[in-house]
Structure formats: C-alpha cells, structure tokens
Amino acid sequence: MTYALPPLNALRAFEAAARHLSFKLAAHELHVTPAAVGQQVKALEARLGVRLFDRLHKQLILTPAGQAYLPGISEGFRHIAEATSQLRPTGAVLLQLGVHGSFDLRRLDLAEFRSAHPGIGLRVLQPAGLHELVEGKADLLIARGLGRHPGYRGDRIDDGPGLGDWLVAPEGTADCPEIVSFREWLRALSAEHSLANHRRPRLVGIKR
C-alpha cells in the first residue's frame, strides 16, 4: 500500500507548534529556527489546502481544521515512537530525568526504581528546567511550580502548600512506556508511605 502522506518534517513542525502554540518553542524542540517551523507549517497548509493556525499578534491559535487534525497526527507519532521502542533490546531504553536544583534526590530513592525496572536506564540531570525539557536534553522534569504549561502534562508530587513540585512531560510523549513506568512507580511510592512521611513524594492529582 502506498500512503498519501505530507512531508514528515512538515507534520513534525505542525504537531510541535500545535502542542506548544508557539513556533519558538516548537523550534527549540526540533532544533531548528522559528522561521523554519513557520515555513514548514505554511507549506503543509498549502499542500492540504486548509489553514491550520490563526496567526495573531504574538499569539498562535489552532483553527477548527487544526484542532481536528492534531489528535490523529499526535497519535501517529506516538505509534511510531512505541514501535521504535519495541525494537530496542532489553536495557537499551534511556530515560533522562531533569530535576530542579533545590530538589533533594533522596526523596525519590532512584536505586529502587532502577532495581524495579532493569529495562530502563535512568539518567538524572540536575539542575534542569523547562529549557532542558524543550531542547530534548530531558525526557521529563521535576519542576518547581510548573503544573500548568501549554503542551505539557503535569502531576504534582507533593501535597503541601505553595507552588509545589511537579512531574512534567510533553503531552506528545507523556504516554511513552518508560515515562508511564516512572509515573506509575512514583504513584505507587506515594501510596506505600503515609502522609506523615514527608521525605517521600506523593502524587496528589493531575493538572493539564
């Protein structure tokens, strides 16, 4: 079967720009210039014969056509990523966790995660912030007070007052197997320990 597909680079540019609602942030993720992202999206719109974005002053908004197109494109890239991950031999999946500078890693007991998930290589980058996540230097991020950000999924890992710490991942990869494994392990860790033990993280809900 021959698939009638637009250029994949144009689809990647559209999907990233739609998640971030920003050519600039999409450019950081794809390691290109914002102008290159804009040109790819413009070429895709011309090929499809529909407008995918409304470009307002300092604001990018998906048109109804863009909103309808995005879920299928994101799902397609997710399937490609999952199919690719299944080709890797055991232990070859590397998960890069970014952590903000003031976070105490002893709260996580990462050795326990590594022991429970020998097929996932966990690498920690500290200090790290949204910039490292956008640039692809980290796959997910423990961030301070970053529960809500366009294009990202955030799960709070403590239940105290204030901004709190959040586990943040791009929506496009938030359901990848290795990220799901870390999120579920973190959730199980919180259930294992009582609320009185504040040295352990606790997922208290999902904010999008």
Side-chain angles (χ1 to χ4, degrees), residues 10-169:
L11 289 177
R12 290 185 68 204
F14 161 71
E15 197 272 342
R19 275 191 287 107
H20 294 291
L21 290 179
S22 167
F23 287 162
K24 182 178 180 180
L25 292 179
H28 277 299
E29 178 179 322
L30 299 176
H31 305 291
V32 297
T33 65
V37 173
Q39 290 170 2
Q40 290 281 7
V41 170
K42 185 176 180 180
L44 179 62
E45 290 175 323
R47 186 182 182 99
L48 298 175
V50 296
R51 193 176 72 256
L52 300 171
F53 293 101
D54 284 326
R55 297 158 176 81
L56 307 180
H57 180 62
K58 295 185 178 180
Q59 189 175 12
L60 198 63
I61 298 176
L62 281 167
T63 64
Q67 292 175 18
Y69 198 40
L70 177 60
I73 299 303
S74 294
E75 186 68 16
F77 281 126
R78 186 173 297 115
H79 284 312
I80 292 171
E82 290 174 354
T84 302
S85 69
Q86 291 173 7
L87 293 177
R88 296 172 177 167
T90 300
V93 178
L94 176 63
L95 182 63
Q96 304 202 88
L97 172 67
V99 182
H100 71 81
S102 60
F103 189 86
D104 185 356
L105 288 175
R106 291 175 296 180
R107 294 174 56 189
L108 297 180
D109 193 4
L110 295 177
E112 183 180 328
F113 174 82
R114 293 185 175 104
S115 176
H117 299 84
I120 300 176
L122 182 65
R123 179 182 296 167
V124 177
L125 176 64
Q126 188 181 33
L130 183 61
H131 183 74
E132 283 72 22
L133 193 62
V134 168
E135 288 197 337
K137 295 178 180 177
D139 300 306
L140 72 167
L141 174 70
I142 293 179
R144 185 70 175 169
L146 191 64
R148 298 178 183 272
H149 195 81
Y152 292 86
R153 166 176 171 164
D155 298 85
R156 185 157 181 171
I157 62 174
D158 57 27
D159 59 353
L163 297 176
D165 293 319
W166 296 77
L167 183 67
V168 183

